[in-house]
Coordinates of all heavy atoms in Angstrom, one line a residue:
Y207 N 35.2 12.7 12.8 CA 34.0 13.6 12.6 C 34.0 14.6 13.7 O 34.5 14.5 14.8 CB 32.7 12.8 12.7 CG 32.7 11.6 11.7 CD1 33.1 10.4 12.0 CD2 32.1 11.9 10.4 CE1 33.0 9.3 11.1 CE2 32.0 10.8 9.4 CZ 32.5 9.6 9.8 OH 32.4 8.5 8.9
Q208 N 33.3 15.7 13.4 CA 32.9 16.7 14.4 C 31.5 17.2 14.1 O 31.1 17.4 12.9 CB 33.9 17.9 14.3 CG 33.7 18.9 15.4 CD 34.8 19.9 15.5 OE1 35.5 20.1 14.6 NE2 34.9 20.6 16.6
V209 N 30.7 17.3 15.1 CA 29.3 17.7 14.8 C 29.1 19.1 15.5 O 29.7 19.5 16.4 CB 28.3 16.7 15.5 CG1 28.5 15.3 14.8 CG2 28.5 16.6 17.0
S210 N 28.1 19.8 14.9 CA 27.6 21.0 15.4 C 26.1 21.1 15.1 O 25.6 20.4 14.3 CB 28.4 22.2 14.8 OG 28.2 22.2 13.4
T211 N 25.4 22.0 15.8 CA 24.0 22.2 15.6 C 23.6 23.5 14.8 O 24.3 24.5 14.9 CB 23.3 22.1 17.0 OG1 23.8 23.2 17.8 CG2 23.5 20.8 17.7
D212 N 22.5 23.4 14.1 CA 22.0 24.5 13.4 C 20.5 24.4 13.6 O 20.0 23.5 14.1 CB 22.4 24.4 11.9 CG 22.1 25.7 11.1 OD1 21.7 26.7 11.8 OD2 22.3 25.7 9.9
T213 N 19.8 25.4 13.2 CA 18.4 25.5 13.2 C 17.8 24.3 12.5 O 17.9 24.3 11.3 CB 17.8 26.8 12.8 OG1 18.4 27.9 13.5 CG2 16.3 26.8 13.0
G214 N 17.2 23.3 13.2 CA 16.5 22.2 12.5 C 17.5 21.2 11.9 O 17.0 20.4 11.1
A215 N 18.7 21.2 12.2 CA 19.7 20.3 11.5 C 20.9 20.0 12.4 O 21.2 20.8 13.3 CB 20.1 20.9 10.2
L216 N 21.5 18.9 12.1 CA 22.8 18.5 12.7 C 23.8 18.6 11.6 O 23.7 18.0 10.6 CB 22.7 17.1 13.3 CG 23.9 16.6 14.1 CD1 23.9 17.3 15.4 CD2 23.7 15.1 14.4
Q217 N 24.9 19.4 11.8 CA 25.9 19.5 10.8 C 27.0 18.5 11.2 O 27.4 18.4 12.3 CB 26.5 20.9 10.9 CG 25.5 22.0 10.6 CD 25.2 22.3 9.1 OE1 25.8 21.5 8.3 NE2 24.3 23.1 8.8
V218 N 27.5 17.8 10.2 CA 28.6 16.8 10.4 C 29.7 17.1 9.5 O 29.6 17.2 8.3 CB 28.1 15.4 10.1 CG1 29.2 14.4 10.3 CG2 26.9 15.1 11.0
Q219 N 30.9 17.3 10.0 CA 32.1 17.5 9.3 C 33.0 16.3 9.4 O 33.4 15.8 10.4 CB 32.9 18.7 9.8 CG 34.2 19.0 9.1 CD 35.0 20.2 9.6 OE1 34.5 21.3 9.4 NE2 36.0 20.0 10.3
E220 N 33.3 15.7 8.2 CA 34.1 14.5 8.1 C 35.5 14.8 7.6 O 35.6 15.5 6.5 CB 33.5 13.4 7.2 CG 34.4 12.2 7.0 CD 33.8 11.2 6.0 OE1 32.5 11.3 5.8 OE2 34.5 10.4 5.5
T221 N 36.5 14.4 8.4 CA 37.9 14.6 7.8 C 38.5 13.3 7.6 O 38.6 12.4 8.5 CB 38.8 15.4 8.9 OG1 38.2 16.6 9.2 CG2 40.2 15.6 8.4
R222 N 38.9 13.0 6.3 CA 39.4 11.7 5.9 C 40.8 11.9 5.4 O 41.1 12.7 4.6 CB 38.5 11.2 4.8 CG 38.8 9.8 4.3 CD 37.9 9.4 3.2 NE 36.5 9.3 3.7 CZ 36.0 8.1 4.2 NH1 36.7 7.0 4.2 NH2 34.8 8.1 4.6
K223 N 41.7 11.0 5.9 CA 43.1 11.0 5.4 C 43.2 10.3 4.1 O 42.8 9.2 3.9 CB 44.0 10.4 6.5 CG 45.5 10.5 6.2 CD 46.3 10.2 7.4 CE 46.2 8.7 7.8 NZ 47.1 8.3 8.9
L224 N 43.9 11.0 3.1 CA 44.1 10.5 1.8 C 45.4 9.7 1.7 O 46.2 9.8 2.6 CB 44.1 11.6 0.8 CG 42.8 12.5 0.8 CD1 43.0 13.6 -0.3 CD2 41.6 11.7 0.5
D225 N 45.5 8.9 0.7 CA 46.7 8.1 0.5 C 48.0 8.9 0.5 O 49.1 8.4 0.9 CB 46.6 7.2 -0.8 CG 45.5 6.2 -0.6 OD1 45.1 5.8 0.5 OD2 45.0 5.7 -1.7
D226 N 47.9 10.1 0.0 CA 49.1 10.9 -0.2 C 49.4 11.7 1.1 O 50.4 12.5 1.1 CB 49.1 11.8 -1.4 CG 47.9 12.8 -1.3 OD1 47.2 12.8 -0.2 OD2 47.6 13.6 -2.2
G227 N 48.7 11.4 2.1 CA 49.0 12.1 3.4 C 48.2 13.3 3.7 O 48.1 13.9 4.8
R228 N 47.6 13.9 2.6 CA 46.7 15.1 2.8 C 45.4 14.7 3.4 O 45.0 13.5 3.5 CB 46.5 15.8 1.4 CG 47.8 16.4 0.8 CD 47.5 17.1 -0.5 NE 46.9 16.2 -1.5 CZ 45.7 16.2 -2.0 NH1 44.9 17.2 -1.6 NH2 45.3 15.4 -2.9
S229 N 44.6 15.7 3.8 CA 43.3 15.4 4.4 C 42.2 16.0 3.5 O 42.4 17.1 3.0 CB 43.2 16.0 5.8 OG 44.1 15.3 6.7
E230 N 41.1 15.3 3.4 CA 39.9 15.9 2.7 C 38.8 16.1 3.7 O 38.5 15.2 4.6 CB 39.5 14.8 1.7 CG 38.2 15.2 0.9 CD 37.8 14.1 -0.1 OE1 37.7 13.0 0.4 OE2 37.6 14.4 -1.2
V231 N 38.2 17.2 3.7 CA 37.1 17.6 4.6 C 35.9 17.7 3.8 O 35.8 18.5 2.8 CB 37.4 18.9 5.3 CG1 36.3 19.3 6.3 CG2 38.8 18.8 6.1
V232 N 34.8 17.0 4.3 CA 33.5 17.0 3.7 C 32.5 17.3 4.7 O 32.5 16.7 5.8 CB 33.2 15.7 3.0 CG1 31.8 15.7 2.4 CG2 34.2 15.3 1.9
S233 N 31.6 18.3 4.4 CA 30.6 18.7 5.4 C 29.2 18.2 4.8 O 28.9 18.3 3.6 CB 30.6 20.2 5.6 OG 31.8 20.7 6.2
S234 N 28.3 17.8 5.7 CA 27.0 17.4 5.4 C 26.0 17.9 6.4 O 26.4 18.2 7.5 CB 26.9 15.9 5.2 OG 27.2 15.2 6.4
R235 N 24.8 17.9 6.0 CA 23.7 18.4 6.9 C 22.6 17.4 7.0 O 22.1 16.9 6.0 CB 23.2 19.7 6.3 CG 22.2 20.5 7.2 CD 21.9 21.9 6.5 NE 21.1 22.7 7.4 CZ 19.7 22.7 7.4 NH1 19.1 21.9 6.6 NH2 19.1 23.5 8.2
L236 N 22.2 17.1 8.3 CA 21.2 16.1 8.6 C 20.0 16.9 9.1 O 19.9 17.3 10.3 CB 21.6 15.1 9.6 CG 20.6 14.1 10.0 CD1 20.2 13.2 8.9 CD2 21.1 13.3 11.2
P237 N 18.9 17.1 8.3 CA 17.7 17.8 8.8 C 17.0 16.8 9.8 O 16.9 15.6 9.5 CB 16.8 18.0 7.6 CG 17.8 17.9 6.4 CD 18.9 16.9 6.8
V238 N 16.6 17.4 10.9 CA 16.2 16.5 12.0 C 14.7 16.2 12.0 O 14.2 15.3 12.7 CB 16.6 17.1 13.4 CG1 18.1 17.2 13.5 CG2 15.9 18.4 13.7
Y239 N 13.9 17.1 11.3 CA 12.4 16.9 11.4 C 12.0 15.7 10.6 O 12.4 15.5 9.5 CB 11.8 18.2 10.9 CG 12.1 19.4 11.8 CD1 12.8 20.4 11.3 CD2 11.6 19.4 13.1 CE1 13.1 21.5 12.1 CE2 11.9 20.5 13.9 CZ 12.7 21.6 13.4 OH 13.0 22.6 14.2
G240 N 11.2 14.9 11.2 CA 10.6 13.7 10.6 C 11.4 12.5 10.7 O 11.1 11.5 10.1
I241 N 12.6 12.5 11.4 CA 13.4 11.3 11.5 C 13.3 10.7 12.9 O 13.0 11.4 13.9 CB 14.9 11.6 11.1 CG1 15.6 12.5 12.2 CG2 15.0 12.2 9.7 CD1 17.1 12.7 12.0
N242 N 13.7 9.5 13.0 CA 13.6 8.8 14.3 C 14.9 9.1 15.1 O 16.0 8.8 14.6 CB 13.5 7.3 14.1 CG 13.2 6.5 15.4 OD1 13.4 7.0 16.5 ND2 12.9 5.3 15.2
P243 N 14.9 9.6 16.3 CA 16.1 9.9 17.0 C 16.7 8.7 17.7 O 17.7 8.9 18.3 CB 15.6 10.9 18.1 CG 14.2 10.6 18.3 CD 13.6 10.1 17.0
L244 N 16.0 7.5 17.6 CA 16.6 6.3 18.1 C 17.6 5.8 17.1 O 17.2 4.9 16.2 CB 15.5 5.3 18.5 CG 14.5 5.8 19.5 CD1 13.4 4.7 19.7 CD2 15.2 6.2 20.8
L245 N 18.8 6.2 17.2 CA 19.8 5.8 16.2 C 20.3 4.3 16.4 O 20.7 3.9 17.5 CB 21.0 6.7 16.3 CG 20.7 8.2 16.1 CD1 22.0 9.0 16.0 CD2 19.9 8.5 14.8
K246 N 20.4 3.6 15.3 CA 20.9 2.2 15.3 C 22.3 2.2 15.0 O 22.9 3.0 14.3 CB 20.1 1.4 14.2 CG 18.6 1.3 14.5 CD 17.9 0.4 13.5 CE 16.4 0.3 13.8 NZ 15.7 -0.6 12.9
W247 N 23.0 1.2 15.6 CA 24.5 1.1 15.5 C 24.8 -0.4 15.6 O 24.0 -1.3 16.1 CB 25.2 1.8 16.6 CG 24.9 1.3 18.0 CD1 23.9 1.5 18.8 CD2 25.7 0.3 18.7 NE1 24.0 0.8 20.0 CE2 25.1 0.1 19.9 CE3 26.9 -0.3 18.4 CZ2 25.6 -0.8 20.9 CZ3 27.5 -1.2 19.3 CH2 26.8 -1.4 20.6
D248 N 26.0 -0.8 15.1 CA 26.6 -2.1 15.4 C 28.0 -2.1 15.1 O 28.6 -1.1 14.6 CB 25.8 -3.2 14.6 CG 26.0 -3.2 13.1 OD1 26.7 -2.3 12.7 OD2 25.5 -4.0 12.5
C249 N 28.7 -3.2 15.4 CA 30.1 -3.4 15.2 C 30.3 -4.7 14.4 O 30.7 -5.7 15.1 CB 30.9 -3.4 16.4 SG 30.7 -1.8 17.4
P250 N 30.0 -4.8 13.1 CA 30.0 -6.0 12.4 C 31.3 -6.5 12.0 O 32.3 -5.9 12.2 CB 29.1 -5.7 11.2 CG 29.4 -4.2 10.9 CD 29.6 -3.6 12.3
D251 N 31.3 -7.7 11.3 CA 32.5 -8.2 10.7 C 33.7 -8.4 11.6 O 33.6 -9.2 12.5 CB 32.8 -7.4 9.4 CG 31.6 -7.2 8.5 OD1 30.9 -8.1 8.4 OD2 31.5 -6.1 7.9
D252 N 34.7 -7.7 11.4 CA 36.0 -7.9 12.1 C 36.0 -7.3 13.5 O 36.9 -7.5 14.2 CB 37.2 -7.4 11.3 CG 37.1 -5.9 11.0 OD1 36.2 -5.2 11.6 OD2 37.9 -5.4 10.2
G253 N 35.0 -6.5 13.8 CA 34.9 -5.9 15.2 C 35.9 -4.7 15.3 O 35.9 -4.1 16.4
R254 N 36.6 -4.4 14.3 CA 37.5 -3.2 14.4 C 36.8 -1.9 14.0 O 37.3 -0.8 14.2 CB 38.8 -3.4 13.5 CG 39.7 -4.5 13.9 CD 41.1 -4.3 13.3 NE 41.1 -4.3 11.9 CZ 41.3 -3.2 11.1 NH1 41.4 -2.0 11.7 NH2 41.2 -3.3 9.8
T255 N 35.7 -2.1 13.4 CA 34.9 -1.0 12.9 C 33.5 -1.0 13.4 O 32.8 -2.0 13.3 CB 34.9 -0.9 11.3 OG1 36.2 -0.9 10.8 CG2 34.2 0.3 10.8
C256 N 33.0 0.1 13.9 CA 31.6 0.2 14.3 C 31.0 1.3 13.4 O 31.6 2.2 12.9 CB 31.5 0.7 15.8 SG 32.1 -0.5 17.0
W257 N 29.7 1.2 13.3 CA 28.9 2.1 12.5 C 27.7 2.6 13.2 O 27.0 1.9 14.0 CB 28.4 1.4 11.2 CG 29.4 1.0 10.2 CD1 30.1 -0.3 10.2 CD2 30.0 1.7 9.2 NE1 31.0 -0.3 9.2 CE2 31.0 0.9 8.5 CE3 29.8 3.0 8.7 CZ2 31.7 1.3 7.5 CZ3 30.5 3.4 7.6 CH2 31.4 2.6 7.0

Side-chain angles (χ1 to χ4, degrees):
Y207 302 91
Q208 187 169 19
V209 299
S210 59
T211 58
D212 193 4
T213 303
L216 189 67
Q217 302 279 0
V218 181
Q219 178 179 287
E220 175 185 341
T221 302
R222 183 181 296 270
K223 188 165 66 176
L224 303 177
D225 292 339
D226 60 7
R228 295 181 298 115
S229 294
E230 178 184 52
V231 180
V232 178
S233 297
S234 60
R235 188 172 185 270
L236 175 69
V238 299
Y239 296 113
I241 66 172
N242 188 346
L244 301 177
L245 302 184
K246 296 184 178 182
W247 66 277
D248 69 358
C249 303
D251 306 325
D252 59 10
R254 293 199 302 109
T255 303
C256 295
W257 293 92

